Amino acid sequence: MATRIAYAFILLVNSIISWLMLTPWALKKLEHLTLDYVNISCQGKQCYGYVAVQRVNWALGLFHFFLAVLLLGVKSSRDGRASLQNGYWGPKVLVWLAFVVLTFFIPETFFQVWGQYIALVGAMLFLLLGLILLVDLAHTWAEFCLEKIENTDSRGWRALLIGSTLGMFTASFAMTILMYIFFAASGCAMNQAAITINLIVLLIITTISVHPTVQEYNPKAGLAQAAMVAVYCTYLTMSAVSMEPDDRHCNPLVRATGTRTASTVLGAIVTMLTIAYTTTRAATQGIALGNNGSHAYSKVGDEEVEHGLVDQQPSSRRQMRAEALRAAVDAGSLPANALDDSDDDDDESEDGRGGKDDERGGTQYNYSLFHFIFLLATTWVATLLTQNIDFENEAVATVGRTYWASWVKIVSAWICYVIYGWTLLAPVMMPGRFGY
């Protein structure tokens, strides 16, 4: 967990630095630090850090690319390369900062092409990945609650499932009403269409989730999953209409004065925190991407203890000790928990830092995939910060206040509905491929 938090923190710091690079203040400081050698411009015109944002994010992306390559095939902490993932933080930070410095010796034309084409494709892949994981989370949450209810007949779990479902539907309709009141005035056709389409699709997808035919082929489908998808997609729609420009007088939040700078800064930080959290969660959920093939990733606490029979010559001091303890437990000389204590001691001794090594039997997630997803996250940050930003009119750059960003969120909500709808209809259309 500490490793994942550390990588998320690096992404958060990198994202905030990228945001600061958009402002005239950061641009002037950067040029001053380089003795006016670096003149950041786009097509010969000053653009307040477009290229700087691309440089900083490309450097972190390159850092994760190299780690992804170096960690290919690592399946447990017994592999010496595993320490690259969980240790050497000082050298890794220095390498990352060195990459940032080196990017300023690369011509600007490279980053203009990178930002306009390659980073844009990576950003779209990152968004799609997030939507797939959201749908997976909806199904996982509902099925987990149902399993608890079936196994324990607990009123608490039943109340939690019903209460959360009702709460998410209530929040969805409340947000829809607020959007109609504040963002769907006369002349705001884009907002009216987006809000109405979201409401209609929400009702359709909810109806499909409880349709008898769907329930026959997938008994675990229901309102709980639909509620989570509905509240997320409605939130995306509300975020889209509340962050669009106010040139058509459809966004009263932009016209609110007094706290605009504070809200801009807070909104930027919240956005970066959300990206860091989403990236970390996505990077550790390989199973959701269909990564459940030949390598089974272990869970915390899993050990390679199978049976008590000696079927091979012990090859290490640890194995000899384990066999001796197992024989003593079988003879009644020691309690059964002595084996657990032994495993814990061995894990601590295997971990060079004195902590428990919970990945000796297998890594909890795919290290290379983890870094590849972080690479995609850097492209999303760069794209979000630089797409259609009006640098000339902003003292403090806003994050996502463009029609491009609004439409990305609106379309993302529609795609999320499509993905969830497919998970409902696929068992009906291809029953042989699903074992419900």
Side-chain angles (χ1 to χ4, degrees):
M1 178 60 72
T3 297
R4 284 164 274 181
I5 292 175
Y7 283 116
F9 180 74
I10 291 176
L11 177 63
L12 175 63
V13 171
N14 188 83
S15 301
I16 293 176
I17 292 174
S18 301
W19 171 57
L20 291 175
M21 287 295 185
L22 291 174
T23 65
W25 177 87
L27 175 65
K28 293 176 182 178
K29 288 294 182 182
L30 179 61
E31 292 179 344
H32 177 69
L33 290 174
T34 58
L35 302 178
D36 297 325
Y37 174 76
V38 175
N39 181 23
I40 300 178
S41 60
C42 296
Q43 305 296 336
K45 298 180 180 179
Q46 194 175 35
C47 65
Y48 297 108
Y50 173 92
V51 176
V53 172
Q54 297 295 342
R55 290 184 194 275
V56 171
N57 284 281
W58 187 83
L60 184 59
L62 184 65
F63 170 77
H64 283 291
F65 172 78
F66 279 120
L67 283 177
V69 173
L70 291 172
L71 294 170
L72 277 172
V74 175
K75 297 183 179 181
S76 75
S77 60
R78 290 191 178 93
D79 192 316
R81 293 176 295 161
S83 59
L84 292 174
Q85 172 75 2
N86 303 310
Y88 299 107
W89 288 105
K92 283 193 292 191
V93 170
L94 290 177
V95 170
W96 165 43
L97 296 178
F99 283 163
V100 174
V101 174
L102 289 175
T103 59
F104 285 91
F105 294 93
I106 300 176
E108 293 184 0
T109 52
F110 170 81
F111 293 102
Q112 290 170 357
V113 173
W114 173 271
Q116 293 173 8
Y117 302 102
I118 302 175
L120 183 61
V121 173
M124 296 302 103
L125 290 175
F126 179 77
L127 278 180
L128 180 62
L129 173 66
L131 298 178
I132 293 174
L133 289 172
L134 184 279
V135 174
D136 177 74
L137 174 63
H139 284 290
T140 301
W141 161 251
E143 291 174 7
F144 177 77
C145 290
L146 289 173
E147 182 180 355
K148 289 292 184 180
I149 293 172
E150 292 175 359
N151 294 338
T152 65
D153 196 24
S154 170
R155 293 183 179 179
W157 282 105
R158 185 177 285 105
L160 178 62
L161 180 61
I162 296 174
S164 62
T165 301
L166 292 176
M168 287 185 283
F169 273 126
T170 301
S172 300
F173 290 117
M175 286 189 287
T176 301
I177 294 172
L178 290 174
M179 285 189 287
Y180 273 121
I181 294 175
F182 293 104
F183 301 101
S186 177
C188 302
M190 169 185 160
N191 291 358
Q192 293 172 353
I195 299 168
T196 302
I197 291 174
N198 179 78
L199 178 60
I200 293 174
V201 178
L202 184 158
L203 296 174
I204 292 175
I205 213 72
T206 302
T207 303
I208 292 176
S209 68
V210 294
H211 192 277
T213 303
V214 172
Q215 289 290 309
E216 178 184 353
Y217 287 90
N218 184 4
K220 294 182 179 180
L223 294 176
Q225 298 96 318
M228 184 173 291
V229 172
V231 73
Y232 179 75
C233 292
T234 305
Y235 160 76
L236 282 180
T237 304
M238 188 171 187
S239 177
V241 299
S242 64
M243 287 299 292
E244 68 179 13
D246 193 40
D247 56 337
R248 301 172 187 173
H249 301 285
C250 296
N251 189 353
L253 295 182
V254 177
R255 298 191 295 273
T257 59
T259 60
R260 183 175 179 181
T261 300
S263 63
T264 298
V265 173
L266 181 61
I269 294 175
V270 170
T271 299
M272 301 311 174
L273 283 170
T274 303
I275 292 173
Y277 169 78
T278 303
T279 304
T280 306
R281 181 179 176 275
T284 54
Q285 296 297 318
I287 294 177
L289 301 175
N291 192 16
N292 56 353
S294 59
H295 176 55
Y297 297 101
S298 67
K299 298 180 180 179
V300 176
D302 287 349
E303 294 290 341
E304 291 186 300
V305 178
E306 297 179 354
H307 54 72
L309 300 177
V310 180
D311 57 2
Q312 62 181 2
Q313 181 71 21
S315 59
S316 69
R317 180 180 177 183
R318 178 184 180 277
Q319 287 178 293
M320 295 175 65
R321 182 186 178 190
E323 294 297 343
L325 284 173
R326 188 175 292 111
V329 169
D330 293 339
S333 302
L334 291 175
N337 61 5
L339 290 174
D340 297 332
D341 295 339
S342 172
D343 288 338
D344 291 341
D345 293 340
D346 289 332
D347 288 342
E348 291 176 2
S349 64
E350 292 282 344
D351 186 1
R353 297 175 298 278
K356 183 177 180 180
D357 182 1
D358 54 11
E359 294 189 324
R360 288 179 56 259
T363 58
Q364 297 177 28
Y365 53 91
N366 187 311
Y367 288 166
S368 293
L369 179 62
F370 177 91
H371 290 288
F372 176 72
I373 293 174
F374 267 81
L375 167 61
L376 294 181
T378 63
T379 64
W380 168 243
V381 172
T383 303
L384 178 66
L385 290 175
T386 57
Q387 281 292 327
N388 299 330
I389 293 288
D390 184 3
F391 301 96
E392 299 296 334
N393 298 325
E394 296 291 345
V396 179
T398 56
V399 178
R401 187 167 289 166
T402 64
Y403 282 114
W404 179 88
S406 293
W407 274 110
V408 165
K409 292 178 181 179
I410 292 171
V411 174
S412 294
W414 297 347
I415 294 175
C416 188
Y417 280 127
V418 171
I419 294 173
Y420 175 63
W422 174 247
T423 64
L424 296 176
L425 297 177
V428 178
M429 300 171 62
M430 298 178 293
R433 297 189 60 182
F434 297 88
Y436 294 111

